[in-house]
Amino acid sequence: MSECIVIIPTYNEKENIENIIRAVTRQKIPFDILVIDDGSPDGTGDIVKNLQKEFSDRLFLVERSGKQGLGTAYLCGFKWAIERRYEYIFEMDADFSHNPDDLCRLYAACKDGGADVAIGSRYSNGVNVVNWPLGRVLMSYFASVYVRLVTGMKVADTTAGFKCYRREVLETIRLDNVRFKGYAFQIEMKFTAYKCGFRLVEVPIIFVNRVLGISKMNSSIFGEALFGVLQLKWRSFFKKYPKKNN
C-alpha cells in the first residue's frame, strides 16, 4: 500500500475517468486512487470497476446512491483513507483541470517542505487559469480575495479544490462537524485547518478548464461560498478549535 491516496469524486465523468486514472498511475510516486462515484447514470462507476482488474492493488471505488454533493464525497473519502492509515491524502478533480503531474509537487510540499496542507493555487503567482470566461475568472478571483479579507487567512486561492493533507490534519479536524457540503466546503476545510494551527502552503499551478464532460459549477455555488464564509467567521468567535500536536 502506498502512503498516498488521491480522492477523485465523480458524477458523469465517463469521458475523463479512465484517462485521469491512467495519468495518476503513471506518476513517479506510487499514488493509490479512491474514486467516490455518486451513482453516475453514464456508467462512470462501471468504467472504474473494469480498470480495477488492471490496477487491483491501487484503485478503489466507493459507490453512493444519487448525487450527494462534493463535500460529502470528500468527507467519505477522508474517513476511508484515515481508517487505512494513509499519510498523505489528496483531493483532485476528474476532468484534468488539475494536472496530475502537479501531485508530486503537492506531495513534496508536505513531505519535504513542512506543509500540513499543500494547496494547488491558481492565484498565488498571478492568475493562472486557462480557458475560463473572463467573468468566471473575475468571480473566482474576487471570491478568494473576499474570503481572505473576512477570514484573515494568508491564502491567495481560498476556494482551491486541489490539495494534499497530512493525515494528522484530517484526524484533528472534527469531520462530522463540517457544515458545508458544496463549494463552501473547500473554504471551511482550509479555515478550520488554519484555526487548528496547521501550516497551509500554496503551490502555484495552472488550472485548465475541462475539455470533456459538463461542468458542475454555477453562480449559485459561488453565492454559497460568499455567504458561507460570513457564517464561518461568526461561528469562529464562539467555537473552540482542536489544536495540532506539537
Side-chain angles (χ1 to χ4, degrees), residues 228-242:
V229 72
L230 293 174
Q231 296 178 43
L232 281 176
K233 183 64 175 179
W234 175 252
R235 288 203 303 264
S236 73
F237 292 123
F238 310 100
K239 183 176 179 179
K240 184 177 178 61
Y241 292 87

Side-chain angles (χ1 to χ4, degrees), residues 52-122:
Q52 284 183 307
K53 300 170 188 174
E54 182 177 348
F55 303 109
S56 60
D57 60 338
R58 59 188 302 194
L59 175 59
F60 307 96
L61 173 66
V62 172
E63 292 183 290
R64 308 194 305 168
S65 58
K67 195 173 181 182
Q68 300 180 41
L70 181 73
T72 65
Y74 276 128
L75 291 173
C76 172
F78 292 158
K79 292 175 181 178
W80 189 98
I82 288 169
E83 286 176 4
R84 289 156 181 83
R85 309 298 292 171
Y86 284 94
E87 189 59 41
Y88 301 97
I89 300 167
F90 296 74
E91 295 182 10
M92 190 174 75
D93 291 347
D95 61 5
F96 282 94
S97 55
H98 303 143
N99 186 341
D101 293 347
D102 289 327
L103 287 166
C104 296
R105 298 172 61 228
L106 296 181
Y107 171 76
C110 287
K111 178 77 171 180
D112 306 317
D116 296 307
V117 183
I119 301 164
S121 177
R122 299 163 291 184

